[in-house]
Every structure is written in C-alpha cells, then in structure tokens.
Amino acid sequence: MNSNKPRLSIIIPVLNEEEHLFTLLQHLYQHMSFPLQAEILVVDGGSLDNSKLEFDKYKGLHPEFRVEWIQSQTTGRAAQMNTGARWAKGEIFYFLHADSFPPVGFDALILEQIAKGNRAGCFRMQFNSSHWWLRLAGWFTRFNWKICRGGDQSQFISRELFESIGGFDESYRIFEDNMLIAALYERGEFTVIQKTLTTSCRRYEKTGIWRLQYHFWMIYLKHRRGAGPDHLYAYYQKHLAK
C-alpha cells in the first residue's frame, strides 16, 4: 500500500452496483496518470447484491493502490458522498457515479485545472447510446452553463471549497448534485474540462427516454418554483422510483 498522502480522493457512492463496479475500478486504474497519488473510496448505502465481492476482487488485484470500502450509516447519495469526504485524505475530491467512466488521464486533467486556480468543475459527457436526443444532450455539456450540468458528468472540487460550501445538502434525497453545482455557479467557481466522460443510459432504457426526460424537467421546474426537498423526493418516488 502506498504510504504517501494522496492528492486526489475519488469518491464513488454505490447501491447495488455489482454490474459496473469492478469494470469501473479497473477503468480508473488503467486511465490514471498518477495512480499512486490517488485513493478510491467506495461508499456503500446498503447494497444487497454482490457489490462488495466485486470490490474485494478488484482490491486483491491491486494491493499497492489505496482503495477502501466505506459503509455509510445513511442511504442516499448526498449522505454517502459526505461520508466519503469525511474519510478522504486528499486535498481534491472527485465525486463519480458508478456507471460513469472518465477519460484517459482524468486525474492529470483535474490536477491541471486546480493548478490554474479552477477549484471546481466537471468533464463533458456522452451517453453510451446512439439515440439522437441523448447524443444532443451530451453535445450541450461542452458549454459552461448551469442548465447543462448534472451529477452524471462527475464533479471535482477542492477540499477547501467543498467544506466552505458545507458539502452536499443531505435534506435532498435527489437533486443533491444540482444543489452543489448551483452553489458553485453562484460563486463563479465552475469550469468544464473539454474531454469526454462516458456514462450509462440504463435509466433511459429502463424508463423510456421521453418519460424520464419529462419527469427530470418537471423536477427541475418544481425546484425553480420553490418546491422543497421532500416534495421533489415524493414526486420522484411516485413517478420514477418503480
């Protein structure tokens, strides 16, 4: 195990991610420029599948790499990511969904932005789909506009800035990424790295592209009109949780 303090803490919230977890961890190891300057913290929200076995399989292959499984006391990505941040030893946090795969040299690209004084941001995104709407949605993520942001694009942020904002708002069971991103845009602290992350379209395939997009828009509009976290979560549970 590398004893040097990591610069980058990659924090991955998981819940029943046995299908993607091992592949993602291998992808991260193979696509990092400086793997011994990073750590991976997988924060579980109560998985009932073989996610932990997939994690252990990966860890056994790379004993030299700092990788930890953390059990969150609370389910929900906001709580899981905050838990990861409390455990993290790095000066830069990189929050990543379990089905999102960052580009080659992603760690070096993040460190480069930090060195330039850009303390928070994300990558451009594409879905692993040829559907015209999802390709168009991905194309728009190249622009540094708040409306084009979402958690699937991943999020890097300096520890100092993350702590000054107060981390993720755990009252939001959904929309937590958007709340943090909004706080960053309010402070003028956001950049988009013009390299592409690939994310899964599994939610769109399961729910239907137009149905899922409609309800995402409704959640966004309800938030704009002042709906609180409980109302947004109730809407999500009614229309999208099945």
Side-chain angles (χ1 to χ4, degrees):
M1 183 73 69
N2 176 36
S3 60
N4 295 327
K5 182 178 179 180
R7 294 198 63 198
L8 183 67
S9 295
I10 304 167
I11 300 169
I12 307 170
V14 299
L15 182 64
N16 299 325
E17 290 290 354
E18 66 178 0
E19 180 180 352
H20 293 96
L21 186 56
F22 181 83
T23 302
L24 173 62
L25 294 174
Q26 284 285 70
H27 176 93
L28 295 178
Y29 186 81
Q30 294 166 0
H31 289 75
M32 275 193 281
S33 298
F34 312 110
L36 297 184
Q37 293 186 30
E39 65 178 352
I40 295 179
L41 305 176
V42 177
V43 188
D44 181 49
S47 294
L48 299 176
D49 66 354
N50 291 320
S51 294
K52 181 60 163 58
L53 292 177
E54 292 297 301
F55 171 87
D56 290 340
K57 181 170 71 172
Y58 169 81
K59 187 170 183 177
L61 293 175
H62 300 287
E64 79 286 359
F65 188 41
R66 190 192 305 269
V67 56
E68 300 293 341
W69 178 274
I70 300 167
Q71 196 67 52
S72 176
Q73 297 302 308
T74 306
T75 299
R77 277 205 302 256
Q80 289 170 245
M81 291 187 287
N82 283 341
T83 296
R86 287 192 293 271
W87 278 74
K89 299 179 179 179
E91 63 199 60
I92 306 152
F93 300 154
Y94 181 45
F95 297 100
L96 182 67
H97 290 184
D99 60 354
S100 294
F101 297 80
V104 173
F106 69 92
D107 56 332
L109 293 167
I110 291 171
L111 294 173
E112 179 183 356
Q113 291 299 319
I114 294 290
K116 291 179 178 178
N118 296 321
R119 299 192 296 168
C122 70
F123 291 98
R124 285 168 49 177
M125 183 199 73
Q126 65 182 10
F127 289 100
N128 61 345
S129 170
S130 60
H131 190 281
W132 71 269
W133 174 257
L134 297 182
R135 288 174 63 87
L136 180 63
W139 184 83
F140 272 103
T141 64
R142 71 190 61 207
F143 300 110
N144 196 358
W145 302 337
K146 183 172 67 173
I147 197 171
C148 297
R149 304 278 73 86
D152 287 336
Q153 297 167 51
S154 71
Q155 174 71 60
F156 77 85
I157 183 171
S158 72
R159 174 189 290 271
E160 178 184 27
L161 181 56
F162 182 80
E163 292 177 348
S164 72
I165 289 174
F168 289 94
D169 186 341
E170 295 185 20
S171 67
Y172 284 84
R173 296 291 302 276
I174 62 165
F175 214 68
E176 72 289 332
D177 295 302
N178 301 74
M179 296 303 295
L180 181 70
I181 289 166
L184 291 170
Y185 271 96
E186 287 175 5
R187 295 174 179 228
E189 293 268 12
F190 207 94
T191 191
V192 179
I193 300 175
Q194 296 299 317
K195 297 291 183 179
T196 304
L197 169 149
T198 300
T199 195
S200 171
C201 64
R202 57 180 172 167
R203 286 295 306 277
Y204 287 94
E205 291 176 342
K206 177 182 177 182
T207 306
I209 290 176
W210 302 118
R211 179 170 180 264
L212 183 62
Q213 195 64 67
Y214 170 79
H215 288 303
F216 279 169
W217 280 334
M218 287 301 296
I219 289 170
Y220 176 79
L221 288 173
K222 285 177 178 293
H223 170 70
R224 286 290 300 270
R225 293 172 179 172
D230 292 339
H231 183 88
L232 297 182
Y233 185 63
Y235 181 92
Y236 175 87
Q237 286 291 102
K238 180 179 179 180
H239 296 286
L240 293 175
K242 296 179 182 179

